[in-house]
Amino acid sequence: MKDGFIRVAAGTPKIRVADCDYNAGQVVALAKQADEQNVRLLCLPELVLSAYTCCDLFLQDTLLRGALDALRRVLRETRELETVLVLGLPLQAAGKLYNCAAVCHRGELLGLVPKRFLPNYGEFYEARLFTPSSGENKSYSLDGRQVPFGPRLLFCCEEMEDFCFGVEICEDLWSCAPPSVGHCAAGALMICNLSASDETVGKADYRRALVGGQSARLCCGYLYADAGEGESTTDLVFAGHNLIAENGAVLAESERFTTGLVISEVDVSRLAYERRRLTTFPARQDEGYLRIPFSLPLHETTLTRPVSPFPFIPQDPAALHANCEDILRLQSAGLCQRLLHTGAKCAVLGLSGGLDSALALLVAVRAADWMGVPRAFVRAVTMPCFGTSARTLQNAHALCESLGVPLREIPITQAVRRHFADIGQDEERRDVTYENAQARERTQVLMDLANQQGGLVIGTGDLSELALGWATYNGDHMSMYAVNASVPKTLVRHLVAHEAARIGGRAGEVLRDILDTPVSPELLPGGGEGIVQRTEELVGPYELHDFFLYYAIRWGFAPQKVLRLACRAFKEKYPRETILRWLKEFYRRFFAQQFKRSCLPDAPKVGSVTLSPRGDWRMPSDASARLWLSQLENM
């Protein structure tokens, strides 16, 4: 439960219709299995103690007493379990029959939640038997104890404020005004749905979309437990389709026509962060709600949910292809609008023969095609200096030739040396001045050419470089429109690969060679083919920094949680000490380099993370990193 992770499960036991004692035994067995696997919240199907398909037997006193006795047995036999158990049963109260969810913990009945919406169409006839919830909380007397009974109950862990859940039952979710809306507005971060949804062709897809969509709409975790084997098949078939979703993503799903548990971990602290961030999510509205406490010791939850090392990259090839195409269209559409608005006569960009400038060129070419102008509208400039390798220079020429873009080569070595003489810089002193003078000279050339030709300078720097401050202030840091500014380095590679496959031919070959070239600023002399500066040896692996950026900035995770997730995601590639080292470097650089991000040029937003000072990220340039780094110092 530490770091906000709650291990949860949705389960389907094999039951018998109307055999309540047998069903209680199956429920207890599943609860014990869940507890052994450190599940802290287990949701079971609707009317699981009796079976959903009892029809008019629900009116029989014998069945109702049997269901209550089964509940007592479950309470007795789960007294030693830490798992909070949510299960369904028929219950008579005030002379009426209710379809209820019982919430149990350590042998205590915490509360009873009656179903609000009763389906009475198609194959469903619940209104013939049951009474819908009145909408008000009352109490129910069981064995001399008053138990909360009503639709507005929230169950809250005393040791962890964000572990708070509400309950709805089957059709409640399918209605136009689900009770879960009120539960989440009142503070629930998880919803348990006890269901008996029969199986028909195509229904599983609809059910999955409904559960995932509701978890996204309410920014919550959603546990959906479905009736299955043992229900009567007189007219219907139940498949036990269990789902666990979090904020729109299905974390785990059972195979249909199986029994047992489906388990995952819901990150309630992530959900709480997202609700704080979303100004349209209402402040807590819990009037009429009763918060029922329960106690659980805090343990570290072993994670089974997948943690991708590449959070910006879809794992599905079809989704990755679609994302790449969308991003390239967004970049080129943004550039088109800027060029048309300013009446620019050309787009000017520096081409190094590396990844970022290749992507910027591809975007500019798309923009020219989109506007219906010749590709000569794009004016590429390569500016070799001390560290330029033959490989990157050749690739710059070959790429422009294959794309039909004019390339101008302007060596800047002598201009930089004259500048060194002006300021008294020793050329043998390979310091930051030596490196940055080259970057600023290149920017000056581009800016002046753009003025000369009535064009705009297109920026090439990416999101990862902005996060780390890996840019020369008023050098490559500056442009007139920065098309790559919200694209992380790990995604840049896939975008270039996407275009290489789409374009093919000689351009595709050159792009593939650029993809194989080590990332380097090429500011130190290497000689010939050699590249002596490798960026990732200096600032750390970009795949790690992109991971840190996603979880530390997009989700606001604490450093210790970012480290934990990174160690899981990269366990086969990097030792913990390496990840910790670069995580410290990430926080140090991110805080120290905010001043560069505070004056960025305009750029199109293409994903959920951007560092534009006019949009998603506003931060004082002199904020201290001490709190964040102190979490990592003793780890």
Side-chain angles (χ1 to χ4, degrees):
M1 289 171 62
K2 292 181 179 178
D3 298 323
F5 292 109
I6 311 296
R7 177 162 290 181
V8 299
T12 301
K14 180 180 179 180
I15 62 170
R16 296 174 183 167
V17 176
D19 191 342
C20 298
D21 188 60
Y22 173 85
N23 297 342
Q26 295 294 99
V27 165
V28 169
L30 211 54
K32 289 182 177 179
Q33 182 183 337
D35 194 71
E36 288 171 0
Q37 297 184 60
N38 298 312
V39 169
R40 292 298 169 258
L41 178 60
L42 170 60
C43 182
L44 296 177
E46 180 179 14
L47 297 169
V48 67
L49 290 181
S50 59
Y52 178 79
T53 49
C54 289
C55 299
D56 284 359
L57 292 178
F58 281 122
L59 299 174
Q60 296 279 321
D61 185 66
T62 301
L63 183 67
L64 299 180
R65 289 181 181 275
L68 263 183
D69 287 341
L71 177 61
R72 292 185 178 101
R73 177 183 173 186
V74 170
L75 291 170
R76 285 195 309 272
E77 297 185 17
T78 60
R79 187 175 292 127
E80 302 302 319
L81 306 185
E82 289 190 2
T83 303
V84 179
L85 177 62
V86 187
L87 55 90
L89 78 160
L91 194 70
Q92 180 178 282
K96 293 296 181 180
L97 184 61
Y98 294 91
N99 179 344
C100 284
V103 181
C104 314
H105 184 232
R106 289 194 173 278
E108 180 184 356
L109 181 60
L110 299 180
L112 293 158
V113 181
K115 190 171 183 176
R116 185 175 301 184
F117 294 99
L118 303 177
N120 219 52
Y121 57 86
E123 63 266 44
F124 303 109
Y125 292 92
E126 287 189 38
R128 169 188 172 93
L129 305 163
F130 297 102
T131 298
S133 165
S134 66
E136 297 180 0
N137 291 334
K138 299 178 182 178
S139 64
Y140 178 84
S141 179
L142 179 66
D143 300 333
R145 179 177 174 272
Q146 294 299 309
V147 178
F149 175 95
R152 297 184 177 182
L153 304 181
L154 296 183
F155 302 89
C156 309
C157 179
E158 293 179 313
E159 291 79 7
M160 187 181 222
E161 181 182 0
D162 292 334
F163 185 5
C164 177
F165 70 91
V167 177
E168 61 186 7
I169 303 175
C170 200
E171 187 74 14
D172 288 346
L173 169 62
W174 302 65
S175 72
C176 66
S180 51
V181 174
H183 298 341
C184 289
L189 280 155
M190 282 194 284
I191 299 294
C192 291
N193 186 302
L194 299 77
S195 184
S197 175
D198 62 308
E199 209 63 27
T200 55
V201 174
K203 194 172 183 180
D205 291 337
Y206 187 85
R207 187 186 296 118
R208 186 184 304 110
L210 192 64
V211 169
Q214 190 71 347
S215 74
R217 185 176 302 107
L218 300 179
C219 194
C220 71
Y222 203 101
L223 282 62
Y224 184 93
D226 191 21
E229 187 174 352
E231 290 285 356
S232 172
T233 58
T234 301
D235 293 298
L236 309 174
V237 175
F238 297 84
H241 186 199
N242 298 327
L243 296 149
I244 299 173
E246 177 189 294
N247 199 23
V250 175
L251 300 178
E253 179 177 2
S254 67
E255 290 286 338
R256 289 181 297 158
F257 304 102
T258 60
T259 58
L261 299 172
V262 59
I263 299 174
S264 190
E265 299 82 37
V266 171
D267 187 349
V268 291
S269 66
R270 173 174 172 165
L271 296 169
Y273 171 84
E274 187 70 347
R275 288 187 182 181
R276 288 195 302 271
R277 191 180 75 91
L278 297 173
T279 57
T280 52
F281 199 92
R284 184 174 293 175
Q285 301 170 2
D286 56 4
E287 184 177 353
Y289 271 84
L290 177 64
R291 300 175 73 87
I292 301 170
F294 61 90
S295 179
L296 277 174
L298 295 180
H299 300 295
E300 184 166 303
T301 304
T302 301
L303 298 181
T304 61
R305 61 186 278 169
V307 180
S308 171
F310 305 106
F312 293 103
I313 314 298
Q315 300 303 297
D316 176 60
L320 176 58
H321 175 84
N323 273 23
C324 286
E325 191 60 31
D326 280 349
I327 290 167
L328 287 159
R329 288 177 179 177
L330 285 166
Q331 290 176 283
S332 55
L335 179 56
C336 278
Q337 173 63 19
R338 181 52 54 90
L339 292 168
L340 292 171
H341 174 73
T342 58
K345 296 178 181 178
C346 62
V348 178
L349 62 88
L351 192 66
S352 67
L355 266 178
D356 288 344
S357 62
L359 176 57
L361 177 64
L362 293 168
V363 170
V365 166
R366 276 187 173 236
D369 292 347
W370 200 340
M371 292 189 297
V373 298
R375 290 186 176 181
F377 179 87
V378 181
R379 315 282 172 84
V381 185
T382 189
M383 294 163 279
C385 196
F386 307 124
T388 302
S389 67
R391 180 179 185 179
T392 55
L393 185 60
Q394 290 165 5
N395 278 338
H397 279 275
L399 184 59
C400 285
E401 182 181 355
S402 61
L403 291 174
V405 172
L407 175 67
R408 183 173 178 181
E409 182 175 328
I410 303 177
I412 62 168
T413 304
Q414 293 308 314
V416 172
R417 283 180 170 149
R418 282 195 297 270
H419 179 62
F420 284 168
D422 289 341
I423 66 172
Q425 171 73 18
D426 182 356
E427 187 177 328
E428 298 304 314
R429 185 179 169 191
R430 307 291 170 79
D431 58 6
V432 66
T433 305
Y434 178 92
E435 296 188 19
N436 285 348
Q438 298 173 66
R440 292 195 178 101
E441 178 61 27
R442 288 185 171 115
T443 300
Q444 175 176 277
V445 169
L446 293 173
M447 291 288 181
D448 290 344
L449 284 174
N451 290 162
Q452 190 181 68
Q453 301 172 22
L456 293 184
V457 175
I458 311 306
T460 62
D462 64 51
L463 178 66
S464 308
E465 293 175 343
L466 293 175
L468 298 171
W470 191 249
T472 299
Y473 193 86
N474 207 34
D476 55 311
H477 155 263
M478 190 48 61
S479 65
M480 296 172 181
Y481 198 71
V483 293
N484 295 340
S486 65
V487 183
K489 186 74 79 176
T490 49
L491 186 53
V492 169
R493 301 192 66 83
H494 288 278
L495 292 170
V496 172
H498 174 87
E499 287 295 80
R502 186 183 71 85
I503 298 170
R506 175 59 178 154
E509 292 177 8
V510 177
L511 290 171
R512 282 187 285 275
D513 191 65
I514 290 173
L515 285 164
D516 290 337
T517 304
V519 177
S520 171
E522 293 196 324
L523 296 172
L524 296 180
E529 296 284 341
I531 294 176
V532 297
Q533 274 181 303
R534 295 174 183 251
T535 299
E536 292 180 289
E537 293 177 0
L538 301 171
V539 297
Y542 274 118
E543 60 188 2
L544 284 179
H545 287 306
D546 283 358
F547 187 93
F548 302 153
L549 173 65
Y550 181 77
Y551 285 107
I553 305 307
R554 168 61 183 90
W555 292 105
F557 285 179
Q560 61 191 18
K561 186 171 180 177
V562 177
L563 176 63
R564 180 182 177 187
L565 290 174
C567 287
R568 173 167 168 75
F570 292 98
K571 62 183 177 181
E572 304 298 332
K573 190 167 185 180
Y574 299 107
R576 185 177 184 276
E577 307 80 58
T578 300
I579 296 172
L580 178 58
R581 171 196 170 192
W582 292 121
L583 181 57
K584 289 178 180 178
E585 181 69 5
F586 172 83
Y587 280 109
R588 187 189 68 76
R589 293 191 67 98
F590 188 85
F591 275 79
Q593 300 294 310
Q594 173 61 28
F595 73 96
K596 294 181 181 178
R597 298 188 293 268
S598 293
C599 56
L600 289 177
D602 292 353
K605 177 178 179 178
V606 301
S608 63
V609 183
T610 178
L611 297 174
S612 167
R614 296 166 297 277
D616 293 47
W617 188 254
R618 303 181 187 195
M619 170 182 168
S621 296
D622 48 7
S624 171
R626 182 178 177 183
L627 281 174
W628 286 261
L629 290 172
S630 64
Q631 278 198 23
L632 299 174
E633 289 304 325
N634 299 318
M635 296 189 69

